[in-house]
Amino acid sequence: MSEIRKPRALATQAAGKAGKFGRANLAATLKAKEEGKKVAYMYINNGQDEIVRAMDIVPAWSENFAGVCSAKRDAEKFLQKAEAENFSRSLCTYATCTIGFDIWREELGEIPPNTPWGGMGRPDMIIGSAQQLCDPRIKWPQATQHYLRDVPVWMGTMYYPPWDQISDHRDQEELYVKYATEELRALVRFCEQHTGKKMDWDRLEAIVNLSDRTWDVFIDTYELRMAIPTPMDTGDAMNTMVPLTFNLGTQEAYDFYKELYDELKEKIALKKGVTENEKYRLVWGAGLPSWFALSDFQYFNDKGAVFPVETTYRNAEKIERLDLPKTNDPLEHIAWRWVRIWTHWYDKARKRPGSLPKVERIIEYLEDYHCDGVVFHCAYSCRSWHAGIIQQEQVLKKAYGDVPTLIMEGDIVDISSYNEVDTHNRIDAFMETLGAMKRKERANSAGP
Amino acid sequence: MADEQLSGLATAAKYYSDYGSRARELKSMGKKVIGYFSSLCPVEILTAAGVVPVRMKGNVSEAITRADAYMETMICPFVRNVFDAAIKGKYRYLDGMVMPHQCDSLDRTSDIWDYNLGFQYYHFLNYPHLADDPSIEFTNEILRIFIGTLEKFTGRNITDQALADAVRAHNNNRRVMRELYGLRKEDVPRISGAEMMQVLIAAVSLPVDESTALIRRVTEEVTNRAPGFSAKKARIMLVGDQIDDIAIVNAIEGTGAHLVMDDLSVGSKMYWDDVAETGDLIQGITDRYLNKLKIPTTFVSAGNTYEENLEARFGHVKSHIKDFNVDGVILFIYKYCDPYGFEVPAIKSYIESVGTPVIYIEDEYSTSSLGRVKTRIEAFLEMIAG
Ligand code: SF4
Ligand code: SF4
C-alpha cells in the first residue's frame, strides 16, 4: 500500500502544470491503440524523440513511469516482481521498476491493478539508445524483450568525443556527428518500416526548429532564476523538466516555458522568492533526485536554502552558444546539437589547470547564480550520473576553492535506500557549515 | 625471459601470484608497459606499438581501504578493487593505461583513473555498443586515433608490417590457448580449473610471444600427464566478466567438481575468435572486437525473432556446453554490474532450455563472502548429482 504524503509546496504555478504533461504522456500510450497509433518505449536524452514525433509514434517514457511510481511511493511491488525474476536490486531501478510492471502486465494481459497514473500501454516497438549515457539504455530494452518477445527492439547510438585535457575534441567532432547522423537515419528507416509511413522531412525540420526554440526559451527562463531572491528552485525544476525532457518538439512544450518565463518575470518584479528569507543559495551539482523524497527540497527551503540552478535535467543550452555548423539535414542538426551540448564545458575546463568539464559547469553556475555551496545526490542504482560525484567534489575544491559541499545518498526509486532522519541530520550539519561560512565572510568584509 | 628452471605450470603459478613481475623486469630493461582493462582492448595494437600490455586485475583477498575515498561504492566492486590496488601503488610500474569503453563502471570512472594516477599515457578507447555498419566505420576511425596516440607516446610509427606481425602473434596465442582448453574436454581434464586460471592470468601479464611459449610449455606438460581415472564428477562451466582469482575456482573444485570451461572475459572470450590476417587489418580488428567477441555491452541485433537473437547472443555458450560436456553452469555476476546483471534472466533460461542447470550468484569481488558462495555451490552440485 502506498503511503499518502503531503506534496511539496510548489513555488510556481507552472510546476503544478508540469505534472499534467507527465500524466497526459502516459495516457497517450494507453489511448494510442484506439487512435491507430504506434507506441514506442523510449529513454530520455536520446536525440531520437523529434524523429518519433515526426512519425506520429507515441513515445512511452519508461523513466517517467518509474519516476511516478517512485514519487507515489508505490514502486516496491514492481521492483519485487523484477527481483523475483533474478534482476538484482543493484541494477538501475528505473529499469527494474518498469520491467517489473511489464512482466506483471504480460501475466495479467492488462494493466496491473492500482498502477500509478494508469500505467503505460504495451509498446509496438522499443527504441533504445546506446548513447554514451548508460549501460541500461542497451540492456533494459533487451531485458524487456525477454518478456515482450514479439516487440521489435531498435538500438541507436549518440556518442561524443571523450574529454581529454591535452587534445582538442573538435578534431574528432565531425567523426562523431557523422556517426550519430547515420544512426538517426537508420532510425528513420526503422520507423518507416514499422509505421508503413514515409518520413515527412519538412515536418521533421519544423519540429527540429521548434526544439531549438524550446531550448532557447528554456534557458532564457531558467536564467531568470539568477535573480535574488530566486523565483524558482530545483524542487520545482524537478517538475518543470517534464516538457523539455519528454515533450521536446511539441508546441505545448514551447508554450509551457513561455508561460513559465512570464510567471518568473512577474515574481521577480514583485521580489517574490521561493522562501521568505533567502539565506543560502545552492547549486544542485549532480544527481537524479529521490522522487519519493522531493519534500527534502522543502526541508532545505524551510531552512532558508534555495537552489536557483541544477545540472540535472538541464541538458540544453542556448543554440547560439553552441555555435552549430549550418546544415540542411535536420538529422545532422540534431547530432550537432547533442554532440555540442555534451562537450560544451570542455574548453573552459582546458583553461583551468586540474579542472574537469563537469566541474567547470558547476563553477559557472556557482558564479552566475551567486551560490554559496553545492549539493549532490548519489543514487546508488545509476552509475551513469552518480559515479564520479566524489571526484567532482574533490576537483571543485582543488581547482576552484573551498566551497561547502554535501553529498546525499539514496536512490531514484528504491525507498529502502533512504533514511529520512539521517538525510535531515546531514542537511542540518551542512546548514551549520554554510552559516559559519557566511558569518566568517561577514566578519571579513566588516574589516578589523 | 620466463624462468627455464621452473615447469610451465610453476611459472604460470609464479606469474599469477607475483602479478606483473615480468612486466616490471622488462620495464627495468627500458620497455614501456601499458595496463589495460577489458577483453575489448585490441592488444594486437599495443604489441605492434612495441609496448608490453598488462591486463589490470585486483586482488580478491585484499579489502578495499583507499578507493572509497575516490570512488562511489555503487561502482562495480571489481573496478573499485583494481583502483584500490592502483592507488596503493601496485601499478606504479605502468607507463600508461588504456581504458576501453566497456561499461559505465569503466566509462564513468575514466576521469578518476586519469586524474589520480598520473600516468604519462592514458587513452579512453571509445568503443560503440553497436556493431552495425556505421559503428564499424566509426570503430575503424577510433582505432586509428588510438594508434596515433600510441605513436606519439612511443615516438615511433606502427607500420603495417608490425601490425600484421602482432595480429599473427596474437592469433597464434589464441590458437595455443584453445588447444590447452581442448585438454579439458576429457572425462578427467588434464588441467584443473585452478591451474587453468593461473595460466589465463599469467598469459595476460606477458608479452605475447612469451605468453604463447608459456602456454605451449603448460600444454606439453599436462599432455604428458597420465590420463586421470576417477569417479564421475560434475563438469562445471563458469560464466561472468573478470573473474581472475583461483578462490572461486577452488570453491567449485573443492566441492568435488571439475571446472571444465568458462565464458569469462579473461578466459574463453579472449581466445575463441581471431582477427582476419588478410585484407584491411584495422577492419579485421574491428570485426573481431565488435562482431566476434561475445560481450554483453555490444548490442546484437541478429535474427528475425527473439529466439534467433538469443542464439546470436548466447549460442557460443551452448556450443561450449556441448563440446565440453558441461553438467551445470554457474553465473557469477558482480553486484552493480548492469551489463551482465540485466542479462541474467535471458541467459539463464536460454541455458536451461538446452537442459543444463544454472545457478546465478551475485557477489562482490572479494573472498569475504566465499563461505556463503561455497554453500550455494555445494547445494547446486548436490542438485545436479541428485
Ligand atoms: S542508469 Fe541512470 S541514466 Fe541510465 S536509465 Fe537508469 S537512471 Fe537513467
Ligand atoms: S564486471 Fe560488469 S561492471 Fe564490472 S567491469 Fe565488468 S562489465 Fe563492467
Side-chain angles (χ1 to χ4, degrees), chain A residues 85-92 95-96 99 130-136 138-143 145-147 149-150 153-157 159-166 172 175-176 178-179 182-183 186 353-358 378-391 394-395 398-399 407, chain B residues 67-76 101-105 107-109 111-116 122-124 126-130 132-138 141-142 145 152 295-301 305-307 309-310 313 334-350 360 362:
Chain A
E85 280 285 302
N86 281 318
F87 288 105
S88 160
R89 269 281 163 149
S90 68
L91 305 176
C92 163
T96 49
I99 291 171
Q131 191 181 12
Q132 194 162 321
L133 198 55
C134 71
D135 296 332
I138 48 169
K139 302 315 290 180
W140 179 359
Q142 269 179 335
Q145 200 186 30
H146 191 61
Y147 304 93
R149 298 199 172 193
D150 57 314
V153 171
W154 188 84
M155 190 62 61
T157 68
Y159 284 72
Y160 54 91
W163 155 250
D164 185 353
Q165 178 78 47
I166 42 179
Q172 295 181 30
L175 167 67
Y176 281 81
K178 180 168 170 263
Y179 178 33
E182 286 309 312
E183 288 296 331
S355 189
L356 289 170
K358 283 182 179 164
C378 185
Y380 82 80
S381 78
C382 164
R383 276 140 287 284
S384 176
W385 294 112
H386 309 92
I389 283 180
I390 295 174
Q391 190 194 25
Q394 289 170 350
V395 171
K398 233 163 129 180
I407 300 180
Chain B
D68 290 354
Y70 300 82
M71 272 185 191
E72 288 74 14
T73 52
M74 45 64 145
I75 290 161
C76 150
H101 182 188
Q102 176 172 329
C103 58
D104 288 344
S105 280
D107 168 28
R108 294 307 206 212
T109 62
D111 287 341
I112 305 178
W113 294 84
D114 188 17
Y115 199 90
N116 292 294
Y122 183 88
H123 189 74
F124 179 76
N126 205 2
Y127 269 111
H129 288 315
L130 292 186
D132 59 356
D133 289 347
S135 305
I136 300 277
E137 245 183 73
F138 172 76
E141 288 308 314
I142 61 146
I145 292 170
K152 203 166 150 206
I295 189 159
T297 45
T298 306
F299 181 79
V300 175
S301 63
T305 62
Y306 179 70
E307 286 67 25
N309 188 255
L310 284 184
R313 287 163 68 193
Y334 295 131
K335 203 174 170 190
Y336 302 116
C337 170
D338 292 300
Y340 282 84
F342 275 110
E343 292 212 331
V344 169
I347 192 171
K348 186 167 183 293
S349 71
Y350 175 84
Y360 158 51
E362 183 187 55

Side-chain angles (χ1 to χ4, degrees), chain B residues 19-20 22-24 26 31-38 41-56 91 93-98 146 150 166 170 173 200-211 270 289:
Chain B
Y19 193 71
R22 177 64 184 146
R24 289 194 293 273
L26 290 164
K31 281 271 187 191
K32 292 210 186 303
V33 184
I34 302 284
Y36 68 93
F37 264 106
S38 166
C41 184
V43 274
E44 26 291 271
I45 291 179
L46 290 172
T47 297
V51 300
V52 179
V54 173
R55 176 81 169 249
M56 297 184 77
Y91 284 106
Y93 62 91
L94 297 181
D95 296 284
M97 196 182 149
V98 179
F146 175 42
L150 279 170
H170 281 278
N173 183 263
L200 288 169
I201 297 307
V204 289
S205 71
L206 301 173
V208 63
D209 290 338
E210 291 184 27
S211 168
M270 293 270 288
Y289 287 92

